[in-house]
Amino acid sequence: MAFILDGLESESYDRVYSDGALIRRIVSFFAPHRRSILIVAVVLTLSSMAEAVAPIVVARAIDAIAGRPTLRYIVGAALAVFLVGAFAWVLNYARQKITARVVGDVVLTLRTDVFRHAVMHDMTFFDEHPLGRIVSRVTSDTQDFSNTVALVIDLLSQLLMVVILTAYLFTINGPLTVILLAMAPGAVIIALAFRRLARKVTLNAKRATAAINGHMQESISGISVAKTF
């Protein structure tokens, strides 16, 4: 594994961006898809609302059945839970489908730009940098970008659902809800502290992947020479 660890240094073409600059660059890739992003935002909001309403409906259904355990209430409660769950599932499916299409188009544009910039370099660039590492940038890193966008969208959905449920909890018991919210800053601090560690570990992981791809490409491309000798 030594040859992999030796290749974890940054490349000469690596750039360091501030968080603001990085977000602006990402937004520029999504700018041509404003209409689709607006649809995703609407569907995301409706989906989060449906998912937040589902446990409320279940709680109310249990209370209704406990108060009057008749067949009519049981069937009505089951039907209400089923309809809310089905509505949430349809909205979530629509959100994932539209999101996958938008993110796929963005990743295609990103890969095209990266490939175009790569082939514009002179031959000395390809002599200094293994082709496997360049291919890893074009394929593996852009795929991770796609996965990150999907995770961010899921996170936004969960945050919106938490906001809706928190508003509902205030109607039940305000003091207990305030105590629950008092724990939020601690969770945010832990997340921000973990963010730095996660960024460093992820960067080293991508460099290790690029190093592996580079050595594999060199080994396979030179197999004819090796077999000849």
Side-chain angles (χ1 to χ4, degrees), residues 12-118:
S12 60
Y13 52 82
D14 280 346
R15 299 179 182 177
V16 178
Y17 297 97
S18 64
D19 292 343
L22 188 59
I23 292 175
R24 285 192 296 270
R25 286 178 62 85
I26 293 175
V27 170
S28 66
F29 282 101
F30 284 93
H33 307 277
R34 296 185 184 90
R35 184 175 181 180
S36 297
I37 293 176
L38 179 60
I39 296 175
V40 170
V42 173
V43 176
L44 175 66
T45 303
L46 295 177
S47 176
S48 300
M49 293 176 62
E51 292 180 2
V53 169
I56 299 175
V57 172
V58 172
R60 293 296 180 88
I62 294 176
D63 293 340
I65 294 174
R68 292 185 178 181
T70 61
L71 180 61
R72 177 182 177 183
Y73 277 92
I74 294 175
V75 173
L79 182 61
V81 173
F82 173 77
L83 291 177
V84 172
F87 183 64
W89 184 88
V90 170
L91 290 174
N92 186 54
Y93 172 78
R95 174 179 66 84
Q96 292 187 4
K97 183 177 181 179
I98 300 173
T99 302
R101 182 175 300 175
V102 173
V103 175
D105 292 339
V106 171
V107 170
L108 176 60
T109 302
L110 183 60
R111 287 178 175 175
T112 302
D113 290 348
V114 173
F115 180 78
R116 183 184 299 112
H117 282 79

Side-chain angles (χ1 to χ4, degrees), residues 6-7 17 41 101 165 189:
D6 292 340
Y17 297 97
R101 182 175 300 175
L165 288 176
I189 293 174

Side-chain angles (χ1 to χ4, degrees), residues 137-228:
R137 289 294 182 96
V138 177
T139 57
S140 178
D141 291 5
T142 52
Q143 182 59 43
D144 287 341
F145 170 77
S146 172
N147 296 336
T148 302
V149 173
L151 288 175
V152 170
I153 293 176
D154 289 337
L155 176 62
L156 293 176
S157 176
Q158 296 298 321
L159 289 176
L160 182 57
M161 185 173 65
V162 168
V163 170
I164 296 173
L165 288 176
T166 301
Y168 176 73
L169 289 176
F170 269 111
T171 63
I172 299 177
N173 193 315
L176 288 179
T177 305
V178 172
I179 295 175
L180 181 64
L181 291 178
M183 304 178 185
V188 173
I189 293 174
I190 294 175
L192 292 177
F194 176 75
R195 170 174 166 267
R196 293 185 177 181
L197 177 62
R199 175 176 291 184
K200 182 178 180 180
V201 171
T202 302
L203 180 60
N204 287 334
K206 299 311 300 178
R207 288 175 178 172
T209 301
I212 293 173
N213 291 337
H215 284 284
M216 288 183 61
Q217 187 276 332
E218 290 180 352
S219 300
I220 295 175
S221 62
I223 194 67
S224 58
V225 178
K227 286 184 175 294
T228 300

